[in-house]
């Protein structure tokens, strides 16, 4: 039995006890999956998993309080569930998690770099190693490894870390450790170059806040500082200064809470590589507090706790 | 109109250089992994082969603009009295938008009925609109998300443009659509294009044919209104929406704005900036009440406005140009075509059989 068939059976069996189960289905074309809200037995058939099922289903959880929600999760999605649970933002009893072993998902931005404009893809065939595309009448083969999301190449938790049901057999992790090489490489540049990079990147931001709304851990939503009108913390200007300020706020609010699902960056319609900011803060958190977000349901995020003396901060030595 | 001209591929940059010597030229350029309109400077890369990620909306309707500046002045004779001095700020710059697609240019025809209507004239909009020209490139191949042919347009639609360029193998056939566009055809870089114009027309017609049967969204006007109170329908179709606003900010026809006063001490600016009906603040009232409290109410507004309320006020014209950006740039691939189609097909639930 394939993993998908097994998942469908598990979901069908639980559905009568749930308001909905959130997974993925084919979207408007062969390349785009879209979140699927399963409410009726016949919806189960539309479920899809695989390298195009990019969305983090946990993003919807905080908006569905008081509902009984089933969630189909990849490893990274499951970390968001754990993190939300850690912070008391969801009632775990109302959530039924369907996990499976994830082989990684495609970063459409990387795919675009490989094959060009993606507006006219008519067919996609995914094997565990390769993506076969029909692009405007032409066959293109792309090695999956070349277009996997960066998060997947360094994924330590491909199997759902929490689950009430699991389909298939757990797979081995893609990586055992994250050395934050990307962050270190960026930091090796002079300060001016780094500032220039962000000014240039943020200049095309349209202030749509897709980065914020796609983030499972951004929970202020309608009351975000970026848009609150009273108090009016940020101007309405279309200025790099405001856009940049928001990204820094987002990164700071996510320090030690960001599960690095990459949804913020994936959602950005103008492809601003903002995950780097969150990675930077997570790297610091890891160094100082030895904490990984969304791994242990009983842990407390370091910036949400207080200790008179932190182990790794030498407060008296200076 | 003047006869069609032709410009060879290798003359295109020279023409852009000429044009940008006399006015601001905005052209699509690759920035990181996106394609956005930026002021053209000689020698810069221009990306004409694909639809730009963001439309040229901000050229006429900036994401934010100062409506006026003001200074508060205390009256030295009477310190309790504060006067305000206002400085209006209308400063349009003659601009040519080069390389937009027909849908991007046509978007302003939807704006015009609102900001240049019989009742209201928006001086800021009018000044920029007047100063901005469009040299549009016809699409010879639609993308999966395109549906301009279903909203009264076409991949070769010239409406709203001043020049229409049709790509050929070796260059572009350039045709004037307006008097202002005609004035741009003086360059010695052009050769005669009359002979090629027929072929260009054929290519544009073929592109339209390739898009297949258009959908008829006409009946949506009344259907959507009939569904206004059916929140079950709206909750269902908006379930996956994350309420971000990318769809409206990228929409060439979305024209809603917000006005804020940005103060600093005794001086300030009154700023007009894009608003969008997908955000909670859109209709948040000063009392704290919000008539559109959930994403379902808000998505209903977006779809309803484009396919029902606007057409009801404007001779059936749909306030959507079919560019498909709200579909392909939506983080969760919400498809407005699908929602409208569902609404048109929606049957009210059958009346329950008489209670047993
Ligand atoms: S990060 Fe891991 S769990 Fe998440 S999509 Fe990639 S491989 Fe799957
Ligand atoms: S900040 Fe980005 S990567 Fe981190 S949890 Fe939010 S969406 Fe995921
Ligand atoms: S998603 Fe991208 S464009 Fe939108 S606000 Fe975030 S960074 Fe800016
Ligand atoms: S439809 Fe898509 S782009 Fe628009 S608000 Fe919803 S999620 Fe964002
Ligand atoms: S109401 Fe919504 S859909 Fe209509 S123009 Fe305003 S932002 Fe766009």
């Amino acid at each position: 039995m394939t993993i998908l068939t097994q998942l469908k059976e598990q979901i069908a069996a639980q559905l009568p006890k749930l308001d909905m189960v959130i997974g993925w289905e084919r979207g408007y074309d062969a390349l785009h999956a879209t979140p699927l809200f399963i409410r009726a037995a016949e919806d189960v058939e539309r479920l899809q998993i695989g390298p195009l099922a990019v969305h983090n289903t946990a993003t919807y959880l905080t908006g569905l309080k008081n509902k009984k929600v089933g969630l189909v999760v990849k490893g990274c999605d499951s970390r968001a569930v754990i993190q939300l649970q850690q912070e008391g933002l969801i009632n775990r009893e109302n959530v039924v998690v369907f996990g499976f072993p994830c082989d990684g998902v495609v970063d459409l931005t990387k795919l675009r770099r490989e094959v060009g404009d993606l507006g006219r893809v008519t067919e996609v065939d995914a094997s565990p190693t390769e993506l076969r595309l029909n692009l405007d009448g032409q066959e293109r083969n792309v090695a999956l490894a070349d277009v996997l999301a960066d998060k997947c190449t360094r994924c330590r938790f491909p199997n759902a870390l929490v689950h009430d049901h699991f389909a298939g057999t757990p797979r081995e992790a893609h990586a055992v450790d994250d050395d934050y090489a990307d962050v270190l490489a960026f930091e090796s540049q002079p300060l001016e170059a780094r500032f220039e990079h962000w000014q240039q990147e943020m200049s095309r931001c349209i202030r749509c806040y897709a980065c914020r709304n796609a983030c499972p851990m951004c929970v202020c939503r309608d009351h975000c500082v970026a848009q609150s009108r009273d108090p009016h913390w940020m101007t309405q200007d279309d200025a790099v200064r405001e856009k940049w300020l928001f990204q820094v706020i987002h990164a700071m609010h996510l320090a030690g809470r960001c599960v690095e699902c990459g949804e913020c960056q994936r959602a950005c319609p103008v492809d601003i590589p903002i995950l780097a900011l969150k990675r930077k803060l997570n790297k610091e958190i890891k160094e100082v507090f030895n904490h990984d977000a969304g791994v242990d349901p009983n842990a407390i995020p370091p910036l949400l706790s207080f200790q008179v003396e932190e182990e790794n901060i030498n407060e008296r030595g200076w | 109109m003047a006869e069609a001209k032709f410009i060879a591929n290798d003359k295109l940059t020279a023409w852009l250089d000429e044009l940008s010597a006399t006015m601001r030229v905005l052209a699509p350029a690759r920035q990181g992994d996106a394609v956005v309109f930026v002021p053209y400077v000689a020698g810069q890369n221009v990306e004409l082969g694909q639809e730009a990620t963001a439309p040229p909306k901000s050229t006429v309707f900036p994401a934010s603009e100062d409506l006026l500046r003001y200074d508060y002045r205390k009256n030295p004779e009477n310190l309790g009295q504060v006067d305000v001095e206002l400085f209006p700020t209308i400063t349009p710059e003659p601009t040519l938008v080069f390389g937009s697609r027909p849908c991007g240019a046509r978007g302003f025809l939807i704006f015009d009925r609102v900001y240049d209507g019989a009742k209201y004239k928006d001086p800021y909009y009018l000044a920029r609109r007047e100063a901005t020209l469009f040299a549009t490139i016809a699409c010879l191949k639609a993308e999966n998300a395109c549906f301009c042919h279903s909203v009264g347009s076409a991949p070769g639609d010239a409406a709203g443009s001043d020049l229409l360029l049709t790509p050929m193998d070796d260059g572009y056939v350039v045709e004037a659509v307006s008097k202002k566009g005609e004035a741009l055809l003086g360059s010695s870089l052009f050769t005669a294009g009359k002979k090629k114009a027929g072929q260009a027309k054929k290519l544009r017609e073929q592109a339209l044919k390739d898009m297949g049967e258009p959908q008829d969204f006409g009946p949506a006007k009344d259907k959507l209104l009939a569904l206004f109170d059916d929140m079950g329908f709206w909750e269902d179709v908006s379930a996956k929406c994350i309420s971000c606003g990318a769809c409206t900010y990228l929409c060439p026809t979305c024209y809603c704005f917000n006005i804020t006063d940005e103060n600093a001490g005794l001086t300030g600016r009154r700023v007009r900036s894009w608003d969008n009906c997908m955000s909670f603040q859109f209709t948040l009232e000063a009392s704290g009440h919000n008539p559109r409290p959930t994403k379902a109410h808000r998505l209903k507004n977006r779809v309803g406005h484009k396919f029902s309320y606007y057409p009801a006020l404007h001779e059936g014209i749909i306030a959507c140009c079919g560019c498909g950006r709200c579909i392909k740039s939506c983080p969760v691939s919400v498809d407005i075509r699908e929602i409208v189609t569902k609404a048109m097909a929606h049957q009210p639930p059958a009346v329950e059989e008489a209670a047993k």
Side-chain angles (χ1 to χ4, degrees):
Chain A
M1 192 164 24
T2 67
I3 295 176
L4 183 61
T5 325
Q6 214 179 327
L7 262 178
K8 285 180 183 171
E9 279 184 6
Q10 290 168 347
I11 292 168
Q14 298 304 314
L15 193 59
K17 290 178 259 168
L18 300 167
D19 288 306
M20 70 193 83
V21 176
I22 309 174
W24 309 268
E25 67 177 321
R26 182 192 153 115
Y28 73 94
D29 71 6
L31 195 57
H32 292 83
T34 186
L36 164 69
F37 283 64
I38 300 172
R39 292 200 175 84
E42 64 265 25
D43 301 337
V44 179
E45 267 321 297
R46 279 149 53 200
L47 181 72
Q48 282 192 359
I49 55 171
L52 300 177
V54 289
H55 323 80
N56 187 341
T57 48
T59 296
Y60 296 104
L61 273 186
T62 48
L64 294 167
K65 283 230 173 101
N66 308 321
K67 298 259 187 231
K68 283 246 172 210
V69 182
L71 217 56
V72 189
V73 297
K74 307 182 287 291
C76 48
D77 308 339
S78 79
R79 287 181 68 185
V81 177
I82 292 179
Q83 189 61 28
L84 289 166
Q85 185 187 351
Q86 260 186 34
E87 297 182 26
L89 293 165
I90 53 166
N91 181 355
R92 181 67 178 79
E93 266 141 42
N94 282 340
V95 184
V96 174
V97 181
F98 301 90
F100 64 95
C102 174
D103 294 328
V105 296
V106 171
D107 178 340
L108 290 183
T109 301
K110 278 185 169 178
L111 183 64
R112 205 191 302 124
R113 280 182 213 149
E114 287 286 317
V115 303
D117 195 18
L118 298 174
R120 290 184 276 271
V121 172
T122 52
E123 261 174 68
V124 182
D125 222 354
S127 78
T129 55
E130 203 182 45
L131 217 51
R132 263 213 341 265
L133 307 177
N134 190 314
L135 208 136
D136 202 9
Q138 286 182 356
E139 286 280 331
R140 290 293 298 269
N141 294 330
V142 182
L144 206 52
D146 292 340
V147 293
L148 269 191
D150 288 340
K151 66 170 178 179
C152 303
T153 60
R154 54 176 176 251
C155 178
R156 291 173 289 155
F157 310 105
N159 310 298
L161 278 170
V162 275
H163 52 81
D164 303 297
H165 306 273
F166 196 87
T169 25
R171 61 159 290 161
E172 232 173 276
H174 305 242
V176 286
D177 205 10
D178 185 350
D179 54 9
Y180 288 98
D182 50 337
V183 179
L184 291 168
F186 183 73
E187 283 182 333
S188 68
Q189 298 175 49
L191 192 60
E192 296 73 24
R194 283 181 268 160
F195 190 55
E196 170 63 28
H197 165 86
W198 285 114
Q199 281 205 308
Q200 174 70 34
E201 291 290 335
M202 292 313 300
S203 70
R204 65 176 182 277
C205 166
I206 55 171
R207 277 189 91 166
C208 64
Y209 299 121
C211 48
R212 174 194 71 193
N213 287 32
C215 172
M217 299 312 303
C218 261
V219 287
C220 304
R221 302 278 163 106
D222 296 346
H223 308 280
C224 172
V225 289
Q227 283 171 302
S228 90
R229 293 191 175 161
D230 188 18
H232 195 55
W233 297 111
M234 284 171 62
T235 79
Q236 288 298 113
D237 281 337
D238 177 44
V240 170
R241 196 183 61 166
E242 305 299 304
K243 301 165 179 181
W244 173 241
L245 175 61
F246 172 69
Q247 287 307 333
V248 173
I249 292 171
H250 189 179
M252 295 302 281
H253 287 182
L254 269 291
R257 306 175 56 230
C258 165
V259 295
E260 297 191 23
C261 62
E263 282 291 88
C264 48
Q265 179 163 320
R266 185 191 66 79
C268 177
V270 288
D271 282 305
I272 303 176
I274 41 185
L275 183 58
L277 295 166
K278 285 88 179 190
R279 297 254 309 144
K280 162 66 180 164
L281 288 185
N282 269 4
K283 174 177 160 286
E284 300 307 313
I285 293 284
K286 179 82 188 166
E287 275 167 22
V288 178
F289 301 105
N290 192 25
H291 174 84
D292 280 311
V295 174
D296 171 7
N298 298 316
I300 302 174
L303 297 192
L304 297 189
S305 65
F306 176 77
Q307 290 194 41
V308 177
E309 264 185 69
E310 289 290 348
E311 256 174 64
N312 294 329
I313 302 177
N314 183 3
E315 287 189 68
R316 290 165 205 270
W318 46 286
Chain B
M1 282 300 136
E3 270 177 15
K5 303 272 184 179
F6 180 79
I7 188 149
N9 280 331
D10 58 359
K11 299 268 165 55
L12 196 69
T13 23
W15 184 35
L16 285 173
D17 292 349
E18 264 182 32
L19 290 165
S20 59
T22 60
M23 64 185 117
R24 185 168 73 126
V25 173
L26 296 170
R30 189 160 290 282
Q31 234 184 48
D33 287 297
V35 176
V36 289
F37 284 87
V38 294
Y40 175 85
V41 284
Q44 164 209 300
N45 79 74
V46 207
E47 179 65 60
L48 303 177
Q50 75 178 75
E51 188 183 48
T53 319
K57 172 160 77 174
S58 57
T59 56
V60 176
F61 186 62
S64 75
E65 66 180 321
D66 291 353
L67 295 181
L68 48 88
R69 291 171 186 279
Y70 51 83
D71 281 353
Y72 288 115
R73 290 186 210 287
K74 282 192 178 155
N75 184 343
E77 306 294 314
N78 175 3
L79 289 179
Q81 186 190 337
V82 182
D83 293 329
V84 182
E85 205 179 338
L86 302 179
F87 310 94
T89 49
I90 302 187
T91 50
E93 212 183 325
T95 299
L96 172 71
V97 177
F98 189 91
S100 150
R101 299 300 167 145
C103 45
R106 205 184 112 97
F108 292 111
L109 299 182
I110 307 292
F111 274 72
D112 289 345
R113 293 174 163 269
V114 179
Y115 291 144
D116 189 11
K119 263 206 210 140
Y120 306 106
K121 304 255 178 226
D122 184 295
Y124 300 90
Y125 175 79
L126 287 181
R128 278 212 184 78
R129 181 80 167 106
E130 189 59 27
T132 309
L133 302 178
F134 292 88
T136 299
I137 299 187
C139 299
L140 296 188
K141 256 201 182 128
E143 295 188 13
N144 295 345
C146 298
F147 60 105
C148 53
H149 66 323
S150 297
V151 291
S153 179
D157 191 358
S161 299
D162 298 283
L163 287 179
L164 184 67
L165 280 69
T166 308
M168 316 290 280
D169 286 341
D170 48 349
Y172 294 85
V173 169
V174 188
E175 291 164 276
V177 186
S178 72
K179 278 265 168 259
K180 282 182 187 164
E182 208 174 315
L184 295 174
L185 290 181
S187 172
S188 60
L189 296 162
F190 291 115
T191 54
K194 194 178 169 194
K195 279 194 198 133
K196 290 188 162 133
Q199 198 194 335
K201 185 160 176 266
K202 277 206 194 99
L203 287 172
R204 294 196 300 264
E205 286 167 358
Q206 187 58 45
L208 175 59
K209 265 198 212 126
D210 291 345
M211 289 184 82
E213 274 301 301
Q215 257 178 295
D216 179 10
F217 289 131
K221 179 158 81 58
D222 299 329
K223 265 304 216 172
L224 287 166
L225 223 47
L227 276 170
F228 193 86
D229 290 317
D230 187 344
M231 283 318 288
F233 175 84
W234 292 105
E235 273 157 26
D236 184 34
V237 296
S238 68
K240 65 186 172 189
C241 169
I242 55 171
S243 227
C244 60
C247 48
T248 78
Y249 282 173
L250 290 171
C251 174
T253 72
C254 272
Y255 52 69
C256 287
F257 62 79
N258 177 25
I259 292 182
T260 43
D261 283 354
E262 312 279 2
N263 289 321
L266 289 176
T267 64
R269 300 167 302 134
R270 177 154 296 176
V271 176
R272 163 156 82 182
S273 56
W274 289 350
D275 201 348
N276 86 83
C277 59
M278 307 308 283
S279 113
F280 176 76
Q281 285 81 1
F282 184 67
T283 42
L284 179 59
E285 293 168 11
S287 66
H289 171 69
N290 194 336
R292 298 189 179 86
T294 71
K295 66 181 180 185
H297 291 88
R298 303 197 288 266
L299 191 67
K300 171 173 78 172
N301 187 69
R302 180 162 75 90
V303 178
H305 180 230
K306 290 182 182 306
F307 288 84
S308 178
Y309 325 148
Y310 186 102
L313 291 171
H314 298 285
E315 304 163 57
I317 290 171
I318 295 173
C320 162
C321 59
C323 73
R325 284 189 182 84
C326 61
I327 302 167
K328 67 177 180 184
S329 289
C330 170
V332 295
S333 299
V334 169
D335 187 342
I336 196 166
R337 299 167 294 192
E338 187 189 319
I339 298 175
V340 179
T341 310
K342 259 197 193 154
M344 291 196 302
H346 189 75
Q347 302 289 346
V351 183
E352 297 287 316
E353 275 179 53
K356 297 185 183 137

